[in-house]
Amino acid sequence: VACVPVSVPVWEFSQKESRMWETLDLVKNTGSVARDHLANERTFLAWARTGMAFVGLGVALDSLQKHGELTIKCSPMTPEEKEAALRDELAPKGVNVLMVFVGGLFLMYATSRYFGTQAALLKDQFPVNQAGIISVVTGSSIITLGGLSMIFAPAYMNEYLNSVKNTMATEKKNKEDDDK
């Protein structure tokens, strides 16, 4: 097999482009410097991706909720039935806002962590991420408990509300009987 020479394009930068590159911080690549900075970028991207997933989840939940409202409003029910269905079926908007807010916190933390770690790496140091891990575990636990309560609470709330209605109806009937 004969070797065929390949022409490689030579990039020529204009003065404007070369000035843009001169503003970048260049670090001498000895040991694991490049690997450390690239790992910091990957970690930032993972945090940012997680934050965007939370934002997307909040938007998706809001969209599903609006679709449910539209389905109920366009159904062939009476206005009273529609009002009752809307009252019973719709989740509070707080969950949607919470997911978007948590996603924003993840994005802010990702940015802060990235630049803090970058500054430490330039000083040949590395910050240990204890606060971030504790925050994520605590926040995830709270969101998990909130999600579980949303799943299981409606059944218990319906039972509770039915028992309250029955109690009130019984008390009203007893009061009417006493008045007679």
Side-chain angles (χ1 to χ4, degrees):
V1 175
C3 292
V4 178
V6 177
S7 63
V8 178
V10 177
W11 294 98
E12 294 182 19
F13 292 104
S14 67
Q15 274 192 330
K16 182 179 179 183
E17 290 169 332
S18 66
R19 275 185 265 139
M20 180 182 73
W21 290 105
E22 288 173 6
T23 60
L24 296 177
D25 291 333
L26 297 177
V27 180
K28 189 171 182 179
N29 188 13
T30 58
S32 65
V33 171
R35 183 177 53 226
D36 293 343
H37 284 279
L38 290 172
N40 187 31
E41 287 181 23
R42 283 191 304 274
T43 303
F44 165 76
L45 292 172
W47 279 100
R49 184 177 54 243
T50 303
M52 290 306 298
F54 272 96
V55 170
L57 180 62
V59 171
L61 287 174
D62 189 58
S63 178
L64 285 174
Q65 187 175 9
K66 287 178 182 170
H67 178 70
E69 289 176 20
L70 184 62
T71 302
I72 290 170
K73 288 178 181 176
C74 295
S75 66
M77 293 189 272
T78 65
E80 294 81 21
E81 291 173 333
K82 287 180 185 180
E83 187 178 320
L86 284 171
R87 215 178 19 252
D88 293 342
E89 293 296 322
L90 297 180
K93 289 253 186 214
V95 176
N96 310 341
V97 173
L98 176 67
M99 291 299 158
V100 172
F101 179 74
V102 168
L105 288 178
F106 269 95
L107 291 169
M108 289 186 330
Y109 177 76
T111 304
S112 170
R113 173 78 180 159
Y114 172 77
F115 287 113
T117 301
Q118 186 180 45
L121 287 173
L122 291 173
K123 297 175 188 173
D124 292 330
Q125 298 174 341
F126 182 77
V128 180
N129 188 16
Q130 294 172 343
I133 299 299
I134 291 170
S135 299
V136 168
V137 169
T138 303
S140 297
S141 299
I142 290 169
I143 290 173
T144 301
L145 291 174
L148 288 173
S149 69
M150 287 178 55
I151 291 170
F152 294 115
Y156 295 118
M157 286 301 293
N158 285 338
E159 288 178 21
Y160 173 74
L161 291 174
N162 287 336
S163 68
V164 168
K165 285 179 187 176
N166 291 337
T167 304
M168 290 174 65
T170 305
E171 288 176 2
K172 184 178 179 181
K173 185 178 179 183
N174 289 341
K175 186 176 179 181
E176 289 173 357
D177 289 343
D178 289 344
D179 290 341
K180 289 183 182 179

